[in-house]
């Protein structure tokens, strides 16, 4: 009788763990970064951020940013652009394209989500952290 309960308990726990791990896999993302090629005036693949902690940090920076609802017309095309991409190819989601400009003083970044008419200029600390994660370079 006790063996029956033990087997039932193991099956329930296994099902729960499997369900939780599947949910985690759905939410895991990479960041695909493209860099502008000045001479050709187009973008090329630059980097893929796969580290989950770095992806979470970028999400946190973007979520905390004080986005303005504004349709902006920048003087030049973005220096970089990036999207979040789910690691699980079966996950369907609309990709949001973030465009990134380095400020003239090279101490801040400006971001635009053109499709949503959103704009933000990050503070120096957030700009530095975001740029370092996306490019592996100091701002």
């Amino acid at each position: 009788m006790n063996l029956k309960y033990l087997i039932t308990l193991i099956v329930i726990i296994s099902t729960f763990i499997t369900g939780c791990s599947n949910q985690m896999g759905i939410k895991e993302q990479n960041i695909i970064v493209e860099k502008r090629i000045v001479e050709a005036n187009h973008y090329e693949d630059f980097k893929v951020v796969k580290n989950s902690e770095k992806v979470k940090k970028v999400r946190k920076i973007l979520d905390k940013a004080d986005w303005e609802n504004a349709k902006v017309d920048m003087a030049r095309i973005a220096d970089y652009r990036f999207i979040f991409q789910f690691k699980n190819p079966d996950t369907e989601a609309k990709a949001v394209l973030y465009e990134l400009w380095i400020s003239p003083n090279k101490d801040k970044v400006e971001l635009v989500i053109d499709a949503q008419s959103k704009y933000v200029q990050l503070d120096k600390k957030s700009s530095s952290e975001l740029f370092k994660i996306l490019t592996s370079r100091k701002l």
Side-chain angles (χ1 to χ4, degrees), residues 1-17:
M1 191 76 150
N2 287 335
L3 183 61
K4 195 175 189 179
Y5 287 119
L6 181 62
I7 291 172
T8 304
L9 182 62
I10 290 172
V11 169
I12 291 171
I13 291 173
S14 298
T15 304
F16 178 77
I17 291 172

Side-chain angles (χ1 to χ4, degrees), residues 8-9 17 24 41 59 64 66 70 95-96 105 109 116 121 127 137:
T8 304
L9 182 62
I17 291 172
M24 287 173 49
N41 211 22
R59 275 275 181 217
K64 284 187 171 186
D66 189 19
V96 175
N105 292 338
V109 298
Q116 297 176 9
Q121 182 179 59
S127 293
R137 299 177 184 159

Side-chain angles (χ1 to χ4, degrees), residues 29-34 46-62 80 82-84 100 109 122 125-139:
Q29 297 177 322
N30 293 328
I31 302 173
I32 311 298
V33 183
E34 296 179 327
F46 178 71
K47 181 179 175 182
V48 178
V49 179
K50 294 180 179 182
N51 180 294
S52 295
E53 291 306 312
K54 289 182 179 181
V55 172
K56 286 178 190 173
K57 181 68 175 172
V58 170
R59 275 275 181 217
K60 187 175 179 181
I61 291 169
L62 297 175
Y80 295 88
F82 62 96
I83 61 168
F84 291 87
L100 182 149
V109 298
L122 298 177
K125 181 179 183 241
S126 295
S127 293
S128 178
E129 289 175 359
L130 178 70
F131 194 76
K132 178 74 172 165
I133 293 169
L134 294 177
T135 68
S136 301
R137 299 177 184 159
K138 289 186 179 183
L139 188 59

Side-chain angles (χ1 to χ4, degrees), residues 54-119:
K54 289 182 179 181
V55 172
K56 286 178 190 173
K57 181 68 175 172
V58 170
R59 275 275 181 217
K60 187 175 179 181
I61 291 169
L62 297 175
D63 289 344
K64 284 187 171 186
D66 189 19
W67 292 91
E68 297 175 30
N69 289 321
K71 187 75 173 167
V72 294
D73 188 22
M74 305 299 270
R76 58 185 165 79
I77 67 171
D79 298 305
Y80 295 88
R81 60 188 189 184
F82 62 96
I83 61 168
F84 291 87
Q85 183 179 57
F86 286 97
K87 291 180 181 178
N88 181 343
D90 295 333
T91 303
E92 290 185 31
K94 185 177 177 184
V96 175
L97 179 66
Y98 294 85
E99 296 177 288
L100 182 149
W101 284 263
I102 302 168
S103 69
N105 292 338
K106 299 187 187 316
D107 61 346
K108 294 181 183 177
V109 298
E110 297 172 275
L111 298 166
V112 170
I113 306 172
D114 198 44
Q116 297 176 9
S117 298
K118 295 201 178 250
Y119 166 84

